[in-house]
Amino acid sequence: MSGEVNRRQALAIVGLGAVGTIVGGVGTGCAFWPSGAVSAPTGEGFREPQSLTSSSGALSVTLRAAPGATLMGRQTQALGYNG
């Protein structure tokens, strides 16, 4: 074997890589979102965040990160900023 890859072999390698990527992505998605785990949230809707405005072209704000952000009615491991 000369170590060179012909067109057919290259296409086969690319195809297998694409299939592997898709299968891995689907498998990962199923692990994080098992069947029936994601449902429509009920109750509280989105609320409008506090409006921050600049003065003379500069925005002065202090961001405070805190754990426990809620997403789609579920508690997450994400950080929320300023409430």
Side-chain angles (χ1 to χ4, degrees):
M1 196 162 205
S2 64
E4 294 181 13
V5 178
N6 64 33
R7 180 189 285 179
R8 181 174 286 172
Q9 291 170 326
L11 289 174
I13 292 168
V14 169
L16 288 174
V19 169
T21 301
I22 292 168
V23 169
V26 169
T28 301
C30 290
F32 286 108
W33 296 286
S35 178
V38 177
S39 60
T42 58
E44 181 182 329
F46 290 112
R47 57 188 171 110
E48 191 67 30
Q50 176 187 0
S51 178
L52 304 172
T53 57
S54 62
S55 175
S56 301
L59 179 64
S60 178
V61 63
T62 301
L63 291 177
R64 291 178 193 85
T70 302
L71 181 62
M72 293 180 57
R74 295 173 184 253
Q75 203 64 15
T76 68
Q77 298 295 321
L79 295 175
Y81 293 94
N82 290 8

